[in-house]
Amino acid sequence: MRSNFVNRLRSTSLPLNTVPPPSASTDYSHDHASLAARILYRSPLPSPSDLPIFILNSAAFPDAGTEVYDELLAYVLARLPGEEELLGGQGYEVVFFAGGNGGVTYTTTNIHSTDNAEGGSCNNNSSSNGKKKNSPGFAWFMRAYSVLNRATRKRLQKLWIVHEKAWVRVLVEMFATVVSPKFRKKVVHVSTLTALAIYLPIEELLIPPTAYLTDRRKSRDIHVPYATGKRAFGVRNPLPPSSSEGGSPRLPRVLRETTSFMLMEKNIKTEGIFRVSARAQTVEVLREAYDRGQKFIVWREGRTSATWPHHKEGHGDFFIRDEDLEQLEGYDTHTAAALIKLWYKELREPVFPHTSYQALKRFFVKPNTPLEAPALFQLLAPGTDYSPMNETARLILTLHLLPLLSRLAERAEDNKMTPSNLAICFAPSLLCGPDPFEDVNVSAIIRRILTAMIEHWTTDLAPSLGLTSEGFEESLKLPEKVEDREDPLEEATHERSSAQGLEGQMSGIVLLDNDKSTSSGEETEAEDEDRPPLPPRPQAVTLATDLPCGTSDSTDPIRRKPAPELRVPPRYSVIVPDQADALTRINRTRISRPRNTVEEEDEEEASVEHRTSIDTLPQYEESAAATNAESEERSMSIPRKPVAKGKKGAG
């Protein structure tokens, strides 16, 4: 049945070409080849099974109205491992991001044209041309799978489908069950990147930016059990020490990579650096990526791209291939600038803390007084006692912020960012006090200070501090030691464990039996010494009523009164006391009360006779008798109008 279904599928559909034309041929399409490099590419690091991982990104598919998918299929399949490589016995795995385009569209013009300066950048403000109306249908994927050769289908070890819709999952299950049950066992459905992290180390994958944006609509964050924590933002030590002998402070990875990309020749000319805002979701995604320790993050502005290798122990450095890097999506310059501002804003202690406000108002409050280099040097000098900033804040300013802003100010003709403009954009990120209104007033003082520092940095401040431009460029390079390439992890949620299963979890747990004895039934002396002493038994409480008269219990000095006997109430709701008790209380009342008149004595005797007659009644009739007596007394007390004689029948 399965073979008939497959043969019918192949016969009813048009023949698909699975081999692209040679690159030297006139029929070869460079646009299709560039688009295929975005749709399917190889992740630099292998899987935990040491197999190559290929990323299939559905967001990179163009609109069905602009491209013919049948012509594109040959270029996409050509990026899979060759038949000779597959016949050699090596398998592969595929991670399919099926969540659509995430709200960003990349058309053929701004992706594949080598003459377009904006091609390839993931600038969500300029490269978005609306959402795709039509995407590849499920039938096209079925046809594409049917034309694969036997080696390609057989060597596929795992297919991870991420961000798929419910109806797509149902169709995949039906198709996989009918066509190939073996293929069904290779498919794993996951809804979010957090769920994918259970099976694969996602921090080692080259995930496209559109997949992050799609995941953000399904989950508010990405949690990796053994990697999520704090590495870059809001850490205790913002400048981690290097692994050299002196342990000098170095720049964290997020500042090193974003600053290097920003200072490239074409990127430094971008107009409005630190002034143009980036997409908030993209910045939040990158923040999680750096805190998670994501190995590969691609930065791209037009045709200028930047990425850094990752070193894996026992394998060496892994790079993104050049042919893939030219076509991959990346993050633009404004996103890098927003990430730098966020890093400064998230410092546990701001550069200008609240304790420095009083000193800043005292010495720098006059707006017309120019700030000279000696006064600024006192703020930045490492060993001075006159600076209101701490030692870490001064290192951050001198090692990164001031050299960066001075470089940008030198190209103010191109990027339109003067020292004053840079200070206005950056000052709010350098302070955070308890009173927002006070922060606004102090922010004006910090703008003056920061503007003067940028203007005097190259000529006066940097030489006085012994810092050079070459030293700043050296700090931005990839460290030679592998330990310094990644920032230390703080406050990790979980640690990676090599033990798997119940046996691995129980390893190291020793179960002891305290009742274990020797074969002869007698415990050894060593066992007696190892056992902890038993807790004392609680002593029985002796009541004072249980002791004979004239004796006292030394163990219980408090003599407790015995609890009263539990009396069960009668069956009916009205509780009638005994007749003897009632007569006794009445006699006591008569003795205690003085008799004033003869009428009172008659009333008491009448009440006693009435109660005696009531006591002789059964218990269930007492309530009715009392009710009848009360009703008769009320009726006698109500005056009635007499009927006039002689008027009966008148009229």
Side-chain angles (χ1 to χ4, degrees):
M1 178 180 177
R2 291 192 297 269
S3 60
N4 295 335
F5 179 79
V6 175
N7 294 332
R8 188 181 304 173
L9 178 65
R10 294 178 178 178
S11 61
T12 55
S13 60
L14 297 175
L16 297 179
N17 186 14
T18 59
V19 180
S23 58
S25 174
T26 56
D27 297 334
Y28 186 82
S29 175
H30 292 279
D31 292 344
H32 288 166
S34 301
L35 181 57
R38 286 178 174 268
I39 295 174
L40 183 65
Y41 58 89
R42 181 172 178 174
S43 187
L45 289 175
S47 67
S49 303
D50 204 15
L51 297 177
I53 299 179
F54 288 86
I55 307 297
L56 180 59
N57 184 19
S58 65
F61 278 97
D63 196 333
T66 59
E67 290 291 339
V68 180
Y69 292 145
D70 294 346
E71 298 178 0
L72 182 63
L73 179 61
Y75 295 90
V76 175
L77 297 182
R79 302 188 60 81
L80 290 173
E83 188 173 357
E84 298 179 356
E85 184 180 358
L86 294 175
L87 292 177
Q90 184 180 9
Y92 67 99
E93 299 179 3
V94 176
V95 178
F96 179 30
F97 292 104
N101 61 344
V104 182
T105 299
Y106 301 91
T107 60
T108 307
T109 304
N110 62 9
I111 287 181
H112 319 300
S113 178
T114 55
D115 298 332
N116 188 5
E118 296 297 330
S121 65
C122 185
N123 187 350
N124 297 303
N125 298 327
S126 60
S127 63
S128 177
N129 297 328
K131 293 186 177 181
K132 292 182 295 187
K133 297 181 180 179
N134 299 314
S135 299
F138 180 72
W140 184 84
F141 284 103
M142 293 175 61
R143 294 173 56 197
Y145 178 79
S146 64
V147 300
L148 294 177
N149 54 44
R150 184 175 182 276
T152 305
R153 295 196 302 265
K154 185 177 180 180
R155 294 303 178 185
L156 176 62
Q157 302 300 322
K158 282 292 182 181
L159 174 60
W160 316 89
I161 305 180
V162 192
H163 301 151
E164 63 178 344
K165 297 181 179 179
W167 65 270
V168 175
R169 176 176 296 189
V170 174
L171 292 178
V172 170
E173 292 293 328
M174 294 175 56
F175 172 75
T177 304
V178 175
V179 176
S180 176
K182 294 182 179 179
F183 176 73
R184 168 64 186 84
K185 298 179 181 179
K186 300 177 182 180
V187 179
V188 180
H189 303 273
V190 290
S191 57
T192 60
L193 291 175
T194 302
L196 181 63
I198 301 176
Y199 305 97
L200 289 176
I202 64 172
E203 73 275 8
E204 297 181 357
L205 298 178
L206 182 55
I207 302 176
T210 50
Y212 284 123
L213 299 179
T214 303
D215 190 82
R216 187 63 62 180
R217 297 200 302 266
K218 298 178 176 295
S219 178
R220 61 181 181 181
D221 57 359
I222 302 173
H223 178 75
V224 181
Y226 44 82
T228 299
K230 287 187 177 182
R231 296 177 184 268
F233 295 87
V235 295
R236 296 185 181 89
N237 191 3
L239 298 178
S242 60
S243 59
S244 58
E245 296 181 358
S248 58
R250 59 175 179 85
L251 295 180
R253 178 193 170 195
V254 57
L255 294 185
R256 188 179 67 243
E257 294 183 358
T258 52
T259 305
S260 300
F261 174 70
M262 187 182 300
L263 294 181
M264 289 183 174
E265 182 61 27
K266 294 185 178 180
N267 299 340
I268 199 174
K269 299 179 181 179
T270 304
E271 185 176 350
I273 299 179
F274 291 118
R275 188 182 72 236
V276 178
S277 60
R279 187 172 182 176
Q281 286 186 349
T282 305
V283 176
E284 188 64 25
V285 162
L286 283 174
R287 173 185 178 177
E288 288 185 359
Y290 276 104
D291 276 338
R292 185 171 60 248
Q294 197 72 27
K295 309 305 180 186
F296 300 98
I297 297 177
V298 179
W299 295 93
R300 176 179 296 279
E301 183 70 37
R303 299 176 59 185
T304 303
S305 59
T307 186
W308 288 264
H310 172 69
H311 180 85
K312 191 172 184 179
E313 188 176 357
H315 296 80
D317 291 341
F318 287 86
F319 296 85
I320 301 177
R321 296 185 299 181
D322 295 338
E323 57 269 20
D324 294 337
L325 184 61
E326 293 177 359
Q327 305 300 332
L328 289 177
E329 304 172 8
Y331 304 97
D332 61 348
T333 307
H334 296 298
T335 305
L339 206 62
I340 294 175
K341 291 175 62 176
L342 181 62
W343 186 87
Y344 278 91
K345 187 177 181 180
E346 292 293 327
L347 288 174
R348 291 199 173 189
E349 185 175 359
V351 176
F352 293 93
H354 182 259
T355 56
S356 64
Y357 289 2
Q358 185 176 1
L360 295 176
K361 293 178 181 179
R362 179 179 180 184
F363 296 103
F364 304 99
V365 70
K366 297 180 181 180
N368 299 327
T369 304
L371 300 179
E372 302 295 337
L376 300 175
F377 177 79
Q378 294 295 330
L379 290 176
L380 301 174
T384 181
D385 297 333
Y386 299 98
S387 177
M389 298 180 293
N390 55 27
E391 188 70 21
T392 303
R394 283 175 277 178
L395 284 175
I396 292 174
L397 288 177
T398 56
L399 295 182
H400 178 259
L401 184 58
L402 293 178
L404 170 63
L405 298 183
S406 63
R407 291 284 189 92
L408 296 175
E410 292 175 359
R411 310 300 292 268
E413 296 181 359
D414 300 323
N415 54 36
K416 311 301 180 183
M417 297 302 293
T418 61
S420 177
N421 294 338
L422 291 171
I424 292 174
C425 296
F426 229 99
S429 302
L430 302 181
L431 74 166
C432 182
D435 188 2
F437 297 99
E438 187 179 9
D439 291 346
V440 173
N441 297 330
V442 178
S443 179
I445 302 175
I446 295 178
R447 288 200 299 267
R448 295 182 55 247
I449 297 174
L450 194 58
T451 303
M453 286 182 177
I454 297 173
E455 295 174 350
H456 291 278
W457 176 255
T458 305
T459 57
D460 301 323
L461 296 179
S464 302
L465 296 172
L467 301 176
T468 59
S469 178
E470 293 77 10
F472 176 63
E473 295 177 357
E474 188 69 22
S475 64
L476 298 178
K477 295 181 179 179
L478 184 68
E480 297 180 359
K481 295 186 177 181
V482 181
E483 297 81 3
D484 296 339
R485 296 183 180 180
E486 192 63 62
D487 300 330
L489 177 62
E490 294 183 4
E491 301 180 7
T493 54
H494 296 282
E495 296 180 358
R496 188 191 297 269
S497 176
S498 58
Q500 301 292 337
L502 182 61
E503 296 180 357
Q505 295 178 10
M506 293 188 64
S507 62
I509 300 177
V510 181
L511 301 178
L512 299 178
D513 188 3
N514 291 335
D515 296 334
K516 183 179 178 181
S517 60
T518 59
S519 59
S520 60
E522 297 179 357
E523 299 179 352
T524 60
E525 297 180 357
E527 291 178 350
D528 293 339
E529 294 178 358
D530 296 338
R531 290 184 181 182
L534 295 175
R537 294 184 178 180
Q539 298 179 357
V541 179
T542 304
L543 297 177
T545 55
D546 298 337
L547 298 176
C549 298
T551 61
S552 61
D553 186 11
S554 59
T555 59
D556 189 7
I558 302 176
R559 300 177 63 85
R560 296 182 176 86
K561 182 179 180 180
E565 296 181 1
L566 181 61
R567 295 184 178 180
V568 181
R571 181 177 177 181
Y572 302 98
S573 59
V574 179
I575 300 177
V576 181
D578 296 339
Q579 182 177 2
D581 296 341
L583 294 176
T584 303
R585 285 198 300 270
I586 293 173
N587 294 332
R588 291 178 180 176
T589 305
R590 295 176 61 185
I591 296 173
S592 59
R593 290 182 56 187
R595 299 178 182 178
N596 298 329
T597 59
V598 178
E599 296 179 357
E600 291 182 358
E601 294 179 0
D602 297 339
E603 290 178 359
E604 289 181 0
E605 292 178 358
S607 62
V608 170
E609 293 177 358
H610 180 68
R611 291 172 185 173
T612 305
S613 62
I614 292 177
D615 293 339
T616 58
L617 295 176
Q619 292 183 357
Y620 62 88
E621 295 180 356
E622 188 274 342
S623 178
T627 305
N628 294 334
E630 292 179 0
S631 61
E632 291 178 0
E633 291 179 1
R634 288 200 193 97
S635 62
M636 295 297 295
S637 61
I638 298 175
R640 296 182 181 181
K641 184 177 181 181
V643 180
K645 295 182 180 181
K647 293 184 180 181
K648 184 175 181 180

